[in-house]
Amino acid sequence: MSEEVITHSAEETTRWGREFAKRLQAPVLVLLTGDLGSGKTTLTKGIVAGLGAAAEDEVTSPTFTLVHVYGAAHVGKVVPRRPIPH
């Protein structure tokens, strides 16, 4: 399923991420693509918080990190991964 959403602030993007998280059922794979600074991390903050895996302020950009793991065993894991360059 492909979906396009346009938001107009970081707060709106995070809020939409929280709402989007309510629609997810494990196991699920969510792929985010976009230019540097396009809001992927901001959206991820909302998704991760909406899943109850971590607080928004615990989510950091994976730009220079290979793997981040959020969440305890009882709530499941959220593992954003950096794409492998082609």
Side-chain angles (χ1 to χ4, degrees), residues 2-57:
S2 179
E3 184 170 346
E4 181 177 334
V5 175
I6 298 173
T7 60
H8 301 285
S9 69
E11 294 79 14
E12 189 178 340
T13 302
T14 303
R15 186 171 45 251
W16 189 86
R18 285 178 171 272
E19 291 299 314
F20 177 69
K22 293 176 185 176
R23 300 180 350 203
L24 301 176
Q25 293 182 348
V28 65
L29 175 64
V30 177
L31 302 174
L32 302 176
T33 63
D35 293 334
L36 195 63
S38 63
K40 298 177 302 293
T41 300
T42 303
L43 179 59
T44 301
K45 287 174 183 274
I47 294 170
V48 169
L51 292 172
E56 291 173 16
D57 62 349

Side-chain angles (χ1 to χ4, degrees), residues 62-68 79-85:
T63 299
F64 300 104
T65 306
L66 292 178
V67 176
H68 287 291
V79 183
R81 296 176 190 257
R82 221 172 116 200
I84 298 170

